Each structure stands twice: as C-alpha cells, then as structure tokens.
Amino acid sequence: MNTVRLGIIGMGNIGRYHADYLLHGKVSRCQLTAVADAFAPLDAWAAKGLKTFNEGEALIRSGAVDAVIIATPHYQHTTLGIAALDTGLHVMVEKPISVHKADAERLIAVHARHPRQVFAAMFQLRTEPRYVKIKRLITGGELGELVRMNWIITDWYRTEAYYASGGWRATWKGEGGGALLNQCPHNLDILQWLCGMPAKVRGFCQLGRYHDIEVEDNVTAYWEWASGATGVFITSTGEAPGTNRLELCGTRGKLVLEHNRLTFTRNETDMLEFSRVAKTGFARPDIWNVEIPFDNAPAQHATLTQNFVDAILDGAPLVAPGAEGLNSVELANAMLYSSLIGQTIELPLDGAAYEAKLQELIAGSRFEKKVVAIQDEDFTKSFVR
C-alpha cells in the first residue's frame, strides 16, 4: 500500500473539518474516498467524487477504505470502532474514544486481537507547542517532583442554542455526560500525559446549573496522586468571560500557562532540600523568573492524521495511541461518579459500577429535549485550550 484510502464516519462539525483539510491535500499519502452520515445531507460530498453511505457500518463493509476516522456522537465510537477493527480497518477515533470506561475497555480489547491494525485517538493538543514545552520541562526534571496542579478552565462558554442544536447533546442517553465528556477530554488527556493518573478524585458536579440540560455544566474536583501531589480541576460551560489558567508546581519551581504566555518561576535549589538545610525560619530559595518561548502555531488535527497515516504505512510511533484514550474517559467518569454517589473514588475506577450508574440515569431520565436549528458558525475557535 502506497496511499491510505480514508473514510470519515459522521459529517457533523468535526467530520466536515477533517474532510476539508484532507480534500485540500494537507495530509500526504492519503486520499479521502468515502463519507457516511445517517442524518446529514451528503449530495455535496458525492459531487466531490466521494462515495457516500447512510450508515457507518455500510462504509466499513464497502471495501472503499483502508482506514476510518470516527466522528459520530459519542456512544457510536465504541460500536463503530469495534466493527471497523473486526473488518480489518485501521481506526482513528475522535474524543472521547468511548462514553464510559467499560466501553473503552471493550474497544481496546478488540484492538488487542488485531495488533497489526493501527488504533489512534485524536488528541491533537499533544502536538500544541505550549504543552510540548511543558512536557519537556517535566520529563527533563526542570520542575522537580510534582506537588500541586491547578487548572481553572471555565472559558468553555456555551449558549442554550448550542445545546438545542442536536437531540443527542447534553443527555445521558445521547451523550453520556456534559462538560467533562464533551469539552474537556483534551484537557484531561493533557493532564494525565503531563502528570500521570491520580490515585483518587473527589468530584462536585452541578447538573444543569446554567442550562436547560440534564448533565453537568459546572465542575470542581480534587485530585490526589500516589506521591501525595494534589490538584484541583475546575470547568464550566456557563461562566463568562471565564478563565483558562494552568499551574503546575514542583519542588524546583512553578509553571503557569495563561493568556498565551508560559512562565516558569524556577527555584535555584529544590524547595525540599532548601528547607532541610536552611539555618533561618523565613528564608526562601532564590528564584529566576523565566518566560518560556514557544511557537504560536496551533495544534493541527491534520498533524495527528498524518501521524496516523505514517503509522499505517511506515510503522511510525503514534502521538496518541487509541488505548491511551481510556485515561481521559476514566477521569471524566470518576469525577462524575464521585459527585453522583457523594464519595471519593479511588482509581482505577470500577468501570462496571459506573456503567450501571449511567444506565440508571438513562432509565430514570424524564428530560424532554427541545431541538432547534441554529445558524452556521466557525466552531474551530474552540479548538485551542
């Protein structure tokens, strides 16, 4: 194979975005050959020479593609991913890879039966220059041992019109969650990529505080790592103007990412070592105030898709292996489950218990969703977080 024939399943906002850069040749050795959607009109895509299908399974069985990007509503990510892997296709799944941990584990288990097929997740923030710099500082030991994390990311503001734009949005049955599962998977992926998975979490999630929805739109959570490091994660889709501030504090200093600036207040001496040897009670380590430069180029979905193609054709290592998508799903589930049962959750999360709780929420839902048409707008403004 010299060229990967790629199909996209789900032609909503993100599916159309993938199709656009593929048709404009932003990914080499790759040809978009087919698209599928059960509801969106496909005539315009057929006019571009693409094969079109009204069902994702039909595209998977068609023989028209070697690989697929799955960009459907969340619950279909698992079923379509499994179908594609079992058919012999390579698979890239949009975030989240599944609605809940048990489904993610089922998807990962199927891939384990097909190890020669490439299974990737679309976590493009891993290529975003700011986070790449932070990763290098952490892995290079510049930050020392992590002692505290704080991410306030409340600039995910969404209107009632946003939630009314699709019948699946912000429902237990259609989406399986709210801000944590829709807006924040990339942030949760970045946190576990940078800091590793915490040992336990305690979530406080408000359901429909700001919107006429049944899922969470306001969250405050406490995290704790096995090392004793602690963290606070705060997010909302109802707060304006909102904040986006990430702080990572280690024994060698503090990193702050806010307002498109990355600053490092660096201790000349490890704070724990300094405390042990200091001769006075109020002494502090000397510090350097450093602004860390980075390229302002945003993370590109096309970069991850190119990596997916290179993995298929050349065996290149994946930036975001599909199995790693389990971690952000588990974090989202654990925070919500903790809030629902009013208890701290120790990780790893009991996926079966959370799945049962989610089914209970679906069965008990009396929420009536009102769907209205909204004007087209540029949703790509929400990409960089």
Side-chain angles (χ1 to χ4, degrees):
M1 186 194 316
N2 297 316
T3 300
V4 175
R5 300 174 302 157
L6 186 63
I8 300 174
I9 304 176
M11 295 305 291
N13 284 338
I14 193 62
R16 294 195 301 270
Y17 180 80
H18 287 304
D20 183 66
Y21 69 70
L22 287 165
L23 289 173
H24 282 85
K26 297 295 180 65
V27 178
S28 63
R29 301 189 296 168
C30 178
Q31 180 183 5
L32 180 63
T33 58
V35 297
D37 197 290
F39 302 102
L42 300 174
D43 291 349
W45 302 108
K48 296 178 186 292
L50 303 179
K51 293 183 179 180
T52 60
F53 300 88
N54 292 324
E55 293 183 354
E57 291 85 350
L59 184 153
I60 288 168
R61 297 190 304 267
S62 69
V65 299
D66 306 303
V68 291
I69 295 177
I70 298 173
T72 57
H74 301 161
Y75 277 106
Q76 295 176 295
H77 291 185
T78 301
T79 54
L80 289 169
I82 288 173
L85 288 167
D86 278 339
T87 305
L89 301 181
H90 305 284
V91 175
M92 172 171 273
V93 183
E94 264 290 348
K95 56 82 180 171
I97 65 163
S98 297
V99 168
H100 55 82
K101 182 182 179 181
D103 261 0
E105 289 177 327
R106 293 178 185 115
L107 177 57
I108 292 166
V110 171
H111 178 246
R113 300 203 304 264
H114 306 286
R116 293 187 179 182
Q117 290 161 234
V118 175
F119 173 38
M122 180 54 75
F123 286 118
Q124 74 278 359
L125 284 192
R126 294 191 184 194
T127 69
E128 210 281 330
R130 300 172 298 176
Y131 301 115
V132 171
K133 282 289 182 76
I134 295 172
K135 179 75 167 177
R136 289 175 183 168
L137 289 167
I138 292 173
T139 57
E142 294 294 328
L143 196 63
E145 180 184 349
L146 180 71
V147 295
R148 179 177 62 81
M149 175 280 292
N150 184 71
W151 201 343
I152 304 173
I153 182 156
T154 58
D155 62 345
W156 285 118
Y157 187 71
R158 296 292 186 269
T159 66
E160 291 286 356
Y162 167 83
Y163 288 109
S165 67
W168 63 281
R169 287 194 186 277
T171 62
W172 297 121
K173 183 178 181 180
E175 190 166 16
L180 291 171
L181 204 64
N182 190 319
Q183 279 71 39
C184 292
H186 289 296
N187 311 115
L188 299 177
D189 176 68
I190 285 295
L191 282 175
Q192 65 83 31
W193 187 59
L194 295 175
C195 305
M197 289 289 281
K200 56 186 177 183
V201 302
R202 178 65 170 97
F204 300 88
C205 303
Q206 294 178 312
L207 310 181
R209 175 180 177 182
Y210 296 112
H211 306 91
D212 184 20
I213 58 177
E214 63 179 350
V215 297
E216 80 282 359
D217 59 359
N218 200 59
V219 177
T220 298
Y222 168 79
W223 298 12
E224 189 172 308
W225 281 262
S227 66
T230 61
V232 176
F233 183 77
I234 300 172
T235 193
S236 175
T237 58
E239 181 182 321
T243 296
N244 188 349
R245 179 181 175 92
L246 171 62
E247 290 188 14
L248 295 170
C249 182
T251 56
R252 292 301 303 267
K254 180 177 69 174
L255 283 166
V256 176
L257 178 59
E258 186 176 26
H259 301 311
N260 207 34
R261 293 181 61 217
L262 177 58
T263 58
F264 184 20
T265 305
R266 185 180 184 276
N267 294 330
E268 284 196 2
T269 305
D270 183 288
M271 70 184 199
L272 299 180
E273 179 184 346
F274 185 89
S275 177
R276 285 191 292 266
V277 302
K279 303 303 183 185
T280 62
F282 294 96
R284 290 171 176 256
D286 289 336
I287 60 172
W288 296 356
N289 290 307
V290 184
E291 183 157 348
I292 307 295
F294 56 85
D295 186 347
N296 274 316
Q300 297 291 332
H301 293 73
T303 303
L304 266 289
T305 304
Q306 184 67 69
N307 175 243
F308 178 51
V309 170
D310 293 345
I312 294 169
L313 296 178
D314 306 326
L318 288 170
V319 171
E324 292 183 12
L326 173 70
N327 294 336
S328 55
V329 172
E330 182 167 15
L331 286 168
N333 290 173
M335 285 184 281
L336 185 55
Y337 190 46
S338 169
S339 181
L340 291 169
I341 67 173
Q343 297 178 18
T344 297
I345 300 298
E346 293 191 0
L347 300 183
L349 171 71
D350 183 340
Y354 180 75
E355 182 179 20
K357 186 65 175 178
L358 184 57
Q359 291 302 318
E360 178 186 318
L361 291 168
I362 293 170
S365 175
R366 299 295 180 265
F367 183 72
E368 295 184 9
K369 184 69 181 288
K370 297 178 181 178
V371 180
V372 298
I374 64 171
Q375 297 178 349
D376 288 337
E377 55 186 331
D378 182 9
F379 83 108
T380 63
K381 295 176 181 178
S382 70
F383 280 170
V384 178
R385 286 292 187 273

